[in-house]
Amino acid sequence: MRTSIATVCLSGTLDEKFVAAKEAGFDGVEIFEPDLVASPHSPEAIRARAQELGLTLDLYQPFRDFEGVGPDLLEQNLRRAEAKFTLMNRLGIDTMLLCSNVATARSGDEQLAAAQLRQLGDLAERYGVRVAYEALAWGRFVDSYEVAARIVRLADHPRIGVCLDSFHILSKGHNPEAIETIPAEKIFFVQMADAPLLSMDVLSWSRHHRLFPGEGGFALGAFMGHLVRTGYDGPVSLEIFNDTFRQSDPRDTAIDARRSLRWLEHETAIWLGGSGGRAARMSTAALPAVAPPSDVNYVELRTDAIDQMRDLLTQLGFRAHGRHRTKSVELWSQGAARMVLGRPETDRHQPTVAGMGLSVRDPEAALRRATDLLAPRVYRVEDPDDETLVGVRAPDGSEVFFGAESAGEPGWVREFGPPAGGDAAHIECVDHINLAQPWQHFDAGVLFLHSVLDLHTQPSMEVAAPVGLVRSQVLASADGVLRVALNLVPSAADADAILPQHIAFAASDVLALARAARDRGFRPLDIPTNYYDDIQARFDIAPELLADLQELNVMYDRDESGEFLHFYTHPIGTVFLEVVERRDDYAGYGALNAPVRLAAQYQQRRDAPEGVPA
Amino acid sequence: MRTSIATVCLSGTLDEKFVAAKEAGFDGVEIFEPDLVASPHSPEAIRARAQELGLTLDLYQPFRDFEGVGPDLLEQNLRRAEAKFTLMNRLGIDTMLLCSNVATARSGDEQLAAAQLRQLGDLAERYGVRVAYEALAWGRFVDSYEVAARIVRLADHPRIGVCLDSFHILSKGHNPEAIETIPAEKIFFVQMADAPLLSMDVLSWSRHHRLFPGEGGFALGAFMGHLVRTGYDGPVSLEIFNDTFRQSDPRDTAIDARRSLRWLEHETAIWLGGSGGRAARMSTAALPAVAPPSDVNYVELRTDAIDQMRDLLTQLGFRAHGRHRTKSVELWSQGAARMVLGRPETDRHQPTVAGMGLSVRDPEAALRRATDLLAPRVYRVEDPDDETLVGVRAPDGSEVFFGAESAGEPGWVREFGPPAGGDAAHIECVDHINLAQPWQHFDAGVLFLHSVLDLHTQPSMEVAAPVGLVRSQVLASADGVLRVALNLVPSAADADAILPQHIAFAASDVLALARAARDRGFRPLDIPTNYYDDIQARFDIAPELLADLQELNVMYDRDESGEFLHFYTHPIGTVFLEVVERRDDYAGYGALNAPVRLAAQYQQRRDAPEGVPA
């Protein structure tokens, strides 16, 4: 698959965009006209720079409001087009994007549009360029790719073809199947965009909310499958208008973008079932298959408040294994929940939840899939007799390590000292991991977990915090063993202040654990009495249970599948812990309780800015 | 008018919300249930705190999904309601908001709903409270206030009335005229919200994009007029779900909110034409009338780069008048354009465009209107023989001073020395003022200019900068003498870095001025050659004019009304200047040129981070 990206997807100067695209591994770029107009470099210098970087210039875009006009305007439009063809010759670009007329078309007569496109084709012929006609979803008369393709057929000119853009087709709910009826040689260009499934005017949706493939809700594997079946083998390009990407580091965005196309290639291969049909000329290699992780092997925390965290883990019943035999980290465990604890490394920014280890059937295959998806490798310093763990870095800077499955305790546990004391084992394993994401990395974080770890998104939610709404997106493996919630901090807020990271553990009896912890000096996050009055009104809870919950600051939820009991610790630095008990088949996260927890944390910072109240 | 505000409008703890509402002058608050549930204080303590502050608790909200259900669920719902009535008794709140059923209604039978509301009314009677039934715009069966009012009439219970919310009515395009058919004693509560006129699903629109009255596009004066005519004289309350307000300082938001209700009262008085009709019991005093300013008297800049600014003003043909006779500011003028220049004051944050002076017919009336609208007064230190200027502070911290109109030069000019040299007078006056607004103050800035200065919004635009989209909103006086553009900086970006403030001056011959300035050593912002190729393609400009534009780095626009020529200076610190020439009736601002200017500024910072290139 030849890959390309429109310069409008990336922030910065045109040169910064080129460098970012190149470094992420794109084959080419589309020149978005405003980027050219604003550049201090001549078209010839821009062409030379692209050549120097080894990038092809695949498309000049957009040209607007050409067809369906009266004779006077047609003349002006041909003059405008000629100026752009001249410019394209200077840039060495052979294809121009023509959007269907939005503003000046007086007629939807397809014969008229075709005749005018034919004239444009003749002009393009003289400059050795060609025109890719695209139906905008909000075109005045032409707003469907099937109509655009029909007009191109009527124009019947070798320099006139279509451009297919997945957003314009799927946002209108049009069926992409008919792509297969378009001859491959008439498909001059393809732009891929994903988007969340929003109900809003399509122009605003398109201009602000597009996403890279795999980050939204469109069925893009099928779309590409139909395209591959035509025999198309031109560039597959990204044209993503997104308010966040416009503000982000272009190097990060470009890697996210390139990953999305690798994922798309895989999805296409899956949809095609390994065979693209007789016409397929585009390679669509699937990613290495990986089975879902069999458990969360460990979670690694990096915090300066290490003594406070030791106290807390002790109170919750974790056992200390002591330090790693060669490294300054220590291990704490309870049941199959393992916490690797250390101070932050000084040479780079490191999130507090610095990493997670996953047990997988084939660690090398998991690594190959991850690096195939452009995840940067990270290395564990290992002695010859240490267990081998292989790892990559996520967009937020945290690390994911893969280790081999084992019948009992993982081998690397022996690299630490033996555990002190017996295992209380109220806590059984990690239930889920909550990662607050900087606003710039949220969508990239979703794509990383979805593509690299094959996690799937659950419906997203918004949770009201006292200083803004938090968008929360859970991704889970097929069997629910690995559940990660990404929380998007309001862009204006200080992430650490309003939304610490957190790890939730699963316990068999949360009330017993809370009581045992209290006996060891644990003080949970205070939950207001008003909350218990409210859940009593909502759920009509048995008085004894309600008294237990309130006494132990345990929160409660119930749905048709079961019950959920959970409590929170006070934040230690920028992380806190949660313990949950799922009764029957409860599969949620106590969403209605989250605002109360956030308010309690906010109140605590007001009352005791230094940390845990005395 | 009795004013109230829902706690959900404001950020922080419940107590922080109370204090903010009180300080802004609200009479009461609505308790939004999640704020109560998350509060560590008992209902009795919350009631006492409100009493201590002198705030009434006007409404408990929301109660959901009550009516139109089967018998089992009805019983549960009555149990839920009883718990809330008990709580309301503890809080001392007598009215509960009931939203029309979204989730559990099985039937839209109005008789059934009315019968169930009657049962709820009997229960409310026992607790001495009443229920205000509101049709949500997305109610399952009841989504119009006329249907809700009909059900309430059928219920025929003294404890059951309606709540009218302008958002739910106007977002659906429903005509508010029929409000006049509802008996005043059946209107238990009124919530006012404005909103931008968006085309999106009404639930998302409501939950994220509501605005305070005067900040959006709804005709709220008429809405309130119909309400006043019923004889309603209960609280007029604000219930605004807005992603930005949730993240802002609650004290600022509360003042913005209270101002919006004062503006709404004025609009209502205007709509009613001074007479509310026979039934009117609510006072709706109009604001002091003000005529539009006759000119922009001066603009005040505060910058540490004062020498660079002096050089720049000299190059542009401004004359130095020397220092103020008692203060450390100096005056520069050309034609009727006057710049007061000084260093930043040290005791507070001050925007670079620190203030503007406006000539008005009656400065005291203008001041009364402003302070009536909660604008905080600011004072100019004046000697006995100084001219009196009266002023207020805008939400962004800049100051607006009003001075008396004068036939010739304003009197305060004599407080400075005489001007040096003759007046080149290429520049005639201030054309418009561009104020970059921090994201938290944008909507409040719009309301301030609209209500205090009686400016009116022109269609808003989005301009692509290399590091994000900038939303730009122009507000202008009726005759266009005062034009202010508010630019909303992307929330994640550093405002100064991407979008300096700027002042645009009107010149009679911008090319002559640019040439004269160049002869005095002026170097304009460099505009790329590619830009001139592009405008040539777009406008087919005469070659001589194009050569002049390009030589002098002057930009160009044309529309059906006329032509626009303009150039920019390099930024001096966090401000830059623009000179514009409007030919014929061109009334725009060269919108298509703005992205090129932003890119050129970005490029310049890349090339010469220290300021003007050598």
Side-chain angles (χ1 to χ4, degrees):
Chain A
M1 186 192 279
R2 267 176 60 206
T3 59
S4 191
I5 184 168
T7 54
V8 72
C9 304
L10 303 169
S11 69
T13 64
L14 190 57
D15 197 63
E16 288 166 347
K17 294 168 194 238
F18 275 18
V19 170
K22 178 60 196 176
E23 285 179 356
F26 280 93
D27 300 310
V29 299
E30 303 176 23
I31 299 280
F32 184 59
E33 182 170 84
D35 285 323
L36 182 278
V37 170
S39 169
H41 303 295
S42 71
E44 290 79 8
I46 290 166
R47 176 185 196 160
R49 178 65 171 143
Q51 266 170 353
E52 180 191 353
L53 291 167
L55 286 171
T56 54
L57 298 182
D58 296 321
L59 187 76
Y60 187 83
Q61 66 119 322
F63 192 77
R64 296 188 188 279
D65 297 326
F66 176 82
E67 83 291 7
V69 300
D72 286 1
L73 201 48
L74 178 65
E75 197 181 327
Q76 280 183 43
N77 289 348
L78 285 166
R79 193 186 56 71
R80 278 199 295 133
E82 189 160 9
K84 296 306 172 187
F85 292 163
T86 307
L87 175 62
M88 287 165 64
N89 282 176
R90 296 175 64 193
L91 285 162
I93 298 183
D94 72 355
T95 307
M96 181 175 86
L97 175 70
L98 170 64
C99 300
S100 61
N101 198 321
V102 170
T104 61
R106 294 197 311 197
S107 153
D109 177 358
E110 295 177 13
Q111 292 287 358
L112 175 70
Q116 296 184 338
L117 284 189
R118 208 175 304 125
Q119 279 189 265
L120 186 63
D122 287 343
L123 185 63
E125 177 81 38
R126 298 221 305 272
Y127 287 86
V129 298
R130 54 187 206 159
V131 175
Y133 181 54
E134 173 184 82
L136 295 181
W138 53 92
R140 174 115 166 72
F141 296 105
V142 178
D143 62 1
S144 124
Y145 78 101
E146 295 188 73
V147 174
R150 203 156 59 216
I151 291 171
V152 164
R153 194 163 61 239
L154 290 169
D156 189 24
H157 194 290
R159 297 289 174 173
I160 302 292
V162 297
C163 172
L164 300 174
D165 181 313
S166 63
F167 182 88
H168 292 295
I169 296 168
L170 301 177
S171 66
K172 305 269 284 189
H174 293 162
N175 188 334
E177 240 179 78
I179 289 173
E180 296 190 33
T181 67
I182 307 174
E185 66 275 14
K186 280 294 170 189
I187 303 176
F188 283 6
F189 209 76
V190 171
Q191 294 174 321
M192 297 302 298
D194 206 341
L197 302 181
L198 301 175
S199 160
M200 66 189 301
D201 77 281
V202 71
L203 179 59
S204 300
W205 188 16
S206 173
R207 292 275 168 86
H208 299 283
H209 301 286
R210 289 185 180 209
L211 291 170
F212 293 121
E215 296 174 353
F218 288 159
L220 295 179
F223 184 98
M224 275 294 295
H226 295 303
L227 181 73
V228 168
R229 283 185 179 157
T230 66
Y232 176 80
D233 68 347
V236 177
S237 190
L238 296 165
E239 191 201 25
I240 311 297
F241 305 95
N242 178 291
D243 289 358
T244 298
F245 300 158
R246 281 179 186 274
Q247 300 179 54
S248 308
D249 188 314
R251 291 164 301 186
D252 293 339
T253 309
I255 287 171
D256 183 33
R258 186 64 191 77
R259 176 175 298 142
S260 79
L261 283 183
R262 183 65 192 92
W263 171 86
L264 179 61
E265 191 184 328
H266 166 80
E267 287 289 301
T268 307
I270 300 296
W271 189 85
L272 287 167
S275 125
R278 281 158 307 176
R281 291 186 290 167
M282 188 190 293
S283 72
T284 55
L287 292 164
V290 293
S294 61
D295 69 17
V296 178
N297 206 321
Y298 68 87
V299 176
E300 180 175 343
L301 290 185
R302 294 286 185 166
T303 175
D304 281 320
I306 205 156
D307 284 333
Q308 281 177 281
M309 186 55 74
R310 287 174 182 142
D311 285 348
L312 180 60
L313 290 172
T314 305
Q315 289 165 351
L316 292 179
F318 279 79
R319 302 179 300 169
H321 291 241
R323 277 172 64 119
H324 189 271
R325 58 191 175 203
T326 59
K327 283 173 278 190
S328 339
V329 288
E330 60 197 51
L331 174 65
W332 293 73
S333 76
Q334 183 171 181
R338 297 175 202 96
M339 304 282 282
V340 174
L341 192 59
R343 297 191 191 277
E345 292 170 355
T346 51
D347 55 339
R348 65 182 185 92
H349 173 75
Q350 198 171 30
T352 311
V353 178
M356 62 175 103
L358 303 174
S359 302
V360 296
R361 195 170 309 154
D362 182 348
E364 286 299 327
L367 178 68
R368 274 200 308 280
R369 181 182 173 106
T371 53
D372 200 350
L373 284 159
L374 284 82
R377 271 212 69 170
V378 289
Y379 296 89
R380 193 170 92 108
V381 180
E382 283 164 1
D383 280 356
D385 54 347
D386 283 355
E387 178 161 329
T388 298
L389 300 178
V390 292
V392 293
R393 183 166 297 140
D396 68 355
S398 66
E399 297 173 345
V400 179
F401 276 93
F402 304 106
E405 293 173 355
S406 58
E409 208 167 54
W412 59 265
V413 169
R414 290 186 301 272
E415 299 166 23
F416 295 83
D423 192 349
H426 276 112
I427 286 177
E428 296 170 337
C429 59
V430 171
D431 185 87
H432 60 280
I433 300 169
N434 267 267
L435 302 175
Q437 297 285 294
W439 59 274
Q440 305 96 322
H441 296 147
F442 185 79
D443 295 307
V446 170
L447 178 62
F448 177 87
L449 294 175
H450 178 40
S451 63
V452 172
L453 300 182
D454 199 25
L455 305 189
H456 291 266
T457 54
Q458 298 181 358
S460 81
M461 298 192 318
E462 277 159 347
V463 178
V467 289
L469 289 179
V470 175
R471 184 173 149 212
S472 184
Q473 174 67 64
V474 175
L475 294 105
S477 57
D479 55 7
V481 162
L482 175 59
R483 286 181 280 219
V484 181
L486 298 182
N487 295 319
L488 174 62
V489 182
S491 60
D494 172 19
D496 289 347
I498 88 146
L499 198 67
Q501 317 264 3
H502 97 255
I503 310 296
F505 300 103
S508 50
D509 183 341
V510 96
L511 295 172
L513 170 58
R515 213 162 254 127
R518 189 182 57 184
D519 294 344
R520 290 188 287 259
F522 170 66
R523 180 156 168 201
L525 186 72
D526 289 320
I527 303 302
T529 302
N530 296 335
Y531 166 80
Y532 293 99
D533 290 349
D534 185 63
I535 58 169
Q536 170 60 9
R538 270 195 280 146
F539 297 117
D540 203 11
I541 299 169
E544 315 75 53
L545 175 58
L546 189 72
D548 281 347
L549 295 173
Q550 187 161 359
E551 178 195 346
L552 297 164
N553 285 290
V554 173
M555 304 187 87
Y556 181 85
D557 191 25
R558 186 200 297 155
D559 64 17
E560 52 295 337
S561 309
E563 290 175 297
F564 189 58
L565 283 73
H566 58 137
F567 70 84
Y568 297 100
T569 74
H570 286 277
I572 305 288
T574 56
V575 68
F576 65 96
L577 307 179
E578 177 186 4
V579 183
V580 312
E581 175 185 341
R582 297 173 182 278
R583 293 184 176 173
D584 301 316
D585 295 322
Y586 182 93
Y589 302 87
L592 281 173
N593 297 334
V596 180
R597 185 255 299 169
L598 285 159
Q601 290 175 330
Y602 179 82
Q603 184 80 45
Q604 181 211 312
R605 275 198 310 282
R606 279 280 184 274
D607 297 342
E610 297 308 307
V612 185
Chain B
M1 182 192 280
R2 266 176 60 205
T3 59
S4 190
I5 184 167
T7 54
V8 72
C9 304
L10 303 169
S11 71
T13 64
L14 189 57
D15 197 64
E16 289 166 344
K17 294 168 193 240
F18 275 17
V19 169
K22 178 60 194 175
E23 285 180 356
F26 280 92
D27 300 311
V29 297
E30 303 176 23
I31 298 281
F32 183 59
E33 180 170 87
D35 285 323
L36 181 279
V37 169
S39 170
H41 303 295
S42 72
E44 290 78 8
I46 290 167
R47 176 185 196 161
R49 178 65 173 144
Q51 266 170 354
E52 180 191 354
L53 290 168
L55 286 171
T56 55
L57 297 182
D58 297 322
L59 188 77
Y60 186 84
Q61 66 120 319
F63 193 76
R64 297 188 189 279
D65 297 326
F66 176 82
E67 83 289 9
V69 300
D72 285 0
L73 202 45
L74 178 65
E75 196 182 328
Q76 280 184 42
N77 289 348
L78 286 165
R79 192 188 56 73
R80 277 198 297 132
E82 188 160 9
K84 296 305 171 185
F85 291 161
T86 307
L87 174 61
M88 288 165 64
N89 283 174
R90 295 174 64 192
L91 286 162
I93 297 183
D94 71 354
T95 307
M96 180 174 85
L97 175 70
L98 170 63
C99 300
S100 61
N101 198 321
V102 170
T104 60
R106 292 198 312 198
S107 153
D109 177 357
E110 296 176 13
Q111 293 287 359
L112 174 70
Q116 296 184 338
L117 284 188
R118 208 176 303 126
Q119 277 187 268
L120 185 63
D122 287 343
L123 185 64
E125 178 82 39
R126 296 222 307 273
Y127 287 86
V129 297
R130 56 188 204 159
V131 175
Y133 181 54
E134 172 184 82
L136 295 182
W138 53 91
R140 173 115 167 74
F141 294 106
V142 179
D143 62 1
S144 126
Y145 77 100
E146 295 188 72
V147 175
R150 203 156 59 218
I151 291 172
V152 164
R153 192 163 63 240
L154 289 169
D156 190 25
H157 194 290
R159 297 288 177 175
I160 302 292
V162 296
C163 171
L164 300 173
D165 180 313
S166 63
F167 182 88
H168 291 295
I169 295 168
L170 301 178
S171 66
K172 304 271 284 190
H174 292 162
N175 188 334
E177 242 180 75
I179 289 173
E180 296 190 31
T181 66
I182 308 174
E185 66 275 13
K186 280 293 171 194
I187 304 176
F188 283 4
F189 208 76
V190 171
Q191 293 174 321
M192 297 302 297
D194 206 341
L197 302 179
L198 300 176
S199 161
M200 65 189 302
D201 78 281
V202 70
L203 179 59
S204 300
W205 188 15
S206 171
R207 292 274 168 86
H208 298 283
H209 301 287
R210 290 185 179 209
L211 291 169
F212 294 122
E215 295 175 353
F218 287 160
L220 296 179
F223 184 98
M224 275 294 295
H226 294 304
L227 181 72
V228 168
R229 282 185 179 158
T230 66
Y232 176 81
D233 69 346
V236 177
S237 189
L238 296 165
E239 191 199 28
I240 311 298
F241 304 95
N242 179 291
D243 289 357
T244 298
F245 300 159
R246 282 181 186 273
Q247 300 180 55
S248 308
D249 188 316
R251 291 163 302 185
D252 292 339
T253 308
I255 287 172
D256 184 33
R258 186 63 191 79
R259 175 175 298 140
S260 80
L261 283 184
R262 183 65 192 90
W263 171 86
L264 179 60
E265 190 183 329
H266 166 80
E267 287 289 301
T268 307
I270 299 295
W271 190 86
L272 288 167
S275 125
R278 283 158 308 183
R281 292 186 288 170
M282 187 190 297
S283 73
T284 55
L287 292 163
V290 292
S294 62
D295 69 15
V296 177
N297 206 323
Y298 69 86
V299 175
E300 180 175 343
L301 290 185
R302 295 285 185 166
T303 174
D304 280 319
I306 205 156
D307 285 330
Q308 281 177 279
M309 186 55 76
R310 285 174 183 142
D311 285 347
L312 180 60
L313 290 171
T314 304
Q315 289 165 348
L316 293 179
F318 279 80
R319 301 178 303 170
H321 292 242
R323 276 172 64 119
H324 189 271
R325 57 191 176 206
T326 59
K327 282 172 279 189
S328 347
V329 289
E330 59 197 52
L331 175 65
W332 293 72
S333 78
Q334 182 171 184
R338 297 177 201 93
M339 302 283 282
V340 174
L341 192 60
R343 294 189 194 278
E345 292 169 355
T346 50
D347 55 338
R348 65 184 185 90
H349 173 76
Q350 200 173 27
T352 311
V353 177
M356 63 175 105
L358 302 174
S359 302
V360 297
R361 196 172 303 156
D362 182 347
E364 286 299 330
L367 178 68
R368 275 201 306 280
R369 182 184 174 106
T371 53
D372 201 347
L373 284 159
L374 283 82
R377 271 212 69 170
V378 290
Y379 296 90
R380 192 172 92 109
V381 180
E382 283 164 0
D383 280 356
D385 52 350
D386 283 355
E387 179 162 329
T388 299
L389 299 179
V390 293
V392 292
R393 182 164 297 140
D396 67 357
S398 66
E399 297 173 345
V400 179
F401 275 95
F402 304 106
E405 293 173 355
S406 59
E409 210 169 57
W412 60 265
V413 170
R414 291 188 299 274
E415 300 166 20
F416 294 84
D423 192 346
H426 275 114
I427 285 176
E428 297 171 334
C429 58
V430 171
D431 186 88
H432 61 279
I433 299 169
N434 268 267
L435 302 175
Q437 298 285 295
W439 60 273
Q440 306 95 323
H441 296 145
F442 185 80
D443 295 307
V446 169
L447 178 63
F448 178 86
L449 295 174
H450 179 40
S451 62
V452 171
L453 301 182
D454 200 23
L455 304 190
H456 290 266
T457 53
Q458 299 179 357
S460 80
M461 297 191 317
E462 276 160 349
V463 178
V467 290
L469 288 180
V470 175
R471 183 172 150 211
S472 183
Q473 174 68 65
V474 175
L475 294 105
S477 57
D479 55 8
V481 162
L482 176 59
R483 287 182 280 221
V484 181
L486 298 182
N487 295 320
L488 173 62
V489 182
S491 62
D494 172 18
D496 290 344
I498 87 143
L499 199 68
Q501 315 265 0
H502 97 256
I503 311 297
F505 300 104
S508 50
D509 184 341
V510 97
L511 295 172
L513 170 60
R515 213 163 256 127
R518 190 183 54 183
D519 294 345
R520 290 189 287 260
F522 171 66
R523 177 154 171 201
L525 186 71
D526 290 319
I527 304 302
T529 301
N530 296 335
Y531 166 78
Y532 294 98
D533 290 349
D534 183 62
I535 58 170
Q536 171 60 8
R538 270 196 279 146
F539 297 117
D540 202 12
I541 299 169
E544 315 77 53
L545 175 58
L546 189 72
D548 281 348
L549 296 173
Q550 187 161 359
E551 178 195 344
L552 297 164
N553 285 289
V554 173
M555 305 188 88
Y556 181 86
D557 191 24
R558 187 200 296 157
D559 64 16
E560 53 293 339
S561 309
E563 290 175 297
F564 188 58
L565 283 73
H566 60 137
F567 69 85
Y568 297 99
T569 74
H570 285 276
I572 305 287
T574 57
V575 68
F576 65 95
L577 307 178
E578 178 186 4
V579 183
V580 312
E581 175 186 340
R582 297 173 181 279
R583 294 182 176 175
D584 301 316
D585 296 321
Y586 183 93
Y589 302 86
L592 280 173
N593 297 334
V596 180
R597 185 255 299 167
L598 286 159
Q601 290 175 332
Y602 180 82
Q603 184 79 45
Q604 182 211 310
R605 276 198 310 282
R606 279 280 184 274
D607 297 341
E610 297 307 308
V612 184

